Amino acid sequence: MDRYMRVENGVPVGVPHLKPQKIEIKPGVVVGCGHWPQEELAKYGEYPCPKQIDPSVSKEVGYQFNDALGICEALVEPIPVAEKIDVALSKIDAEAEEMRQAVITPGDGQAMSYQAKADEAKQCLAAYSTSNLPPEGAFLLLESEVGILAKKDGSVAETVFEIAEVVEMARTEWVRAEAAINRVRLQAKADIRNAKDASEVELVMASVVWP
């Protein structure tokens, strides 16, 4: 997409913007200019400002007008590797959290509910069996899902003990998923911290494969 900059007395003003669609040709007179060629826009101080950097490793810090070429050129400098590393580390943590949310409902309250149900399931499975079911009221959270929660085969769990089995299976699967996610997260962050420059950080980010 074309970028332009306003130039006044040979000095770029402001920041790059999209190609002007309207322009004031004299005080109080504004006309459409979206179809104008570059040469015509230049008469009113609007010049192209091409993107000349890879934003993953460099950033624009200013602009200068090249009269010979009739364009504004970006002044760039490398992104400090420390800054790049900080951004990448935060991004890895955010991506890991997204992966976690794919296997568990988000929210602090929901997380507490999962933990409480997991605790009840552990106690239930340790003390009872399919032939020795827990008394009513012993595991309120598990009881709340009887006749609702589906088992792995698609049928509905009809007893508290069956609910406990489903919850424990889900907990085990989550632990495995979290372990896999955490391994990728920690390895990526270690590699990012060891990067020597911004381009190496980008290579690490591009190579991350989440489970």
Side-chain angles (χ1 to χ4, degrees):
M1 189 172 291
D2 292 341
R3 297 198 312 175
Y4 277 74
M5 278 197 77
R6 181 79 181 168
V7 176
E8 297 178 359
N9 299 318
V11 179
V13 177
V15 296
H17 50 259
L18 298 180
K19 182 178 180 179
Q21 299 300 303
K22 293 182 179 180
I23 202 163
E24 188 175 39
I25 59 175
K26 60 182 180 180
V29 180
V30 177
V31 299
C33 62
H35 62 288
W36 287 10
Q38 292 181 9
E39 296 78 9
E40 194 66 22
L41 287 170
K43 294 178 182 178
Y44 297 93
E46 293 287 346
Y47 290 86
C49 183
K51 287 187 177 180
Q52 300 171 314
I53 65 168
D54 177 353
S56 66
V57 296
S58 301
K59 59 182 177 181
E60 296 179 352
V61 295
Y63 305 91
Q64 65 184 8
F65 179 57
N66 187 322
D67 186 49
L69 297 178
I71 63 172
C72 290
E73 297 173 325
L75 303 175
V76 302
E77 65 181 28
I79 295 176
V81 65
E83 179 181 324
K84 189 71 177 179
I85 285 174
D86 286 344
V87 172
L89 291 176
S90 296
K91 190 170 187 295
I92 286 294
D93 283 339
E95 289 181 0
E97 186 60 22
E98 287 181 9
M99 297 303 299
R100 292 189 186 100
Q101 301 309 331
V103 293
I104 191 169
T105 304
D108 292 341
Q110 191 66 49
M112 292 175 63
S113 175
Y114 282 140
Q115 184 58 55
K117 280 193 294 184
D119 291 343
E120 285 193 354
K122 185 176 181 179
Q123 296 169 24
C124 179
L125 294 174
Y128 300 95
S129 66
T130 54
S131 58
N132 177 30
L133 298 176
E136 184 177 350
F139 303 106
L140 295 178
L141 287 174
L142 299 183
E143 284 183 22
S144 70
E145 300 193 9
V146 171
I148 300 172
L149 188 65
K151 296 189 289 186
K152 199 163 188 177
D153 62 6
S155 62
V156 175
E158 298 292 353
T159 68
V160 168
F161 191 82
E162 286 183 343
I163 294 294
E165 290 179 318
V166 173
V167 170
E168 176 60 19
M169 184 178 297
R171 186 199 68 81
T172 300
E173 290 176 352
W174 184 87
V175 168
R176 288 173 181 161
E178 169 61 16
I181 291 168
N182 199 46
R183 181 174 181 81
V184 172
R185 183 182 71 88
L186 293 178
Q187 184 62 62
K189 293 181 76 169
D191 292 343
I192 288 167
R193 290 191 179 98
N194 290 329
K196 297 180 179 63
D197 53 40
S199 60
E200 285 193 14
V201 175
E202 282 298 307
L203 288 175
V204 173
M205 294 297 291
S207 67
V208 172
V209 178
W210 294 103

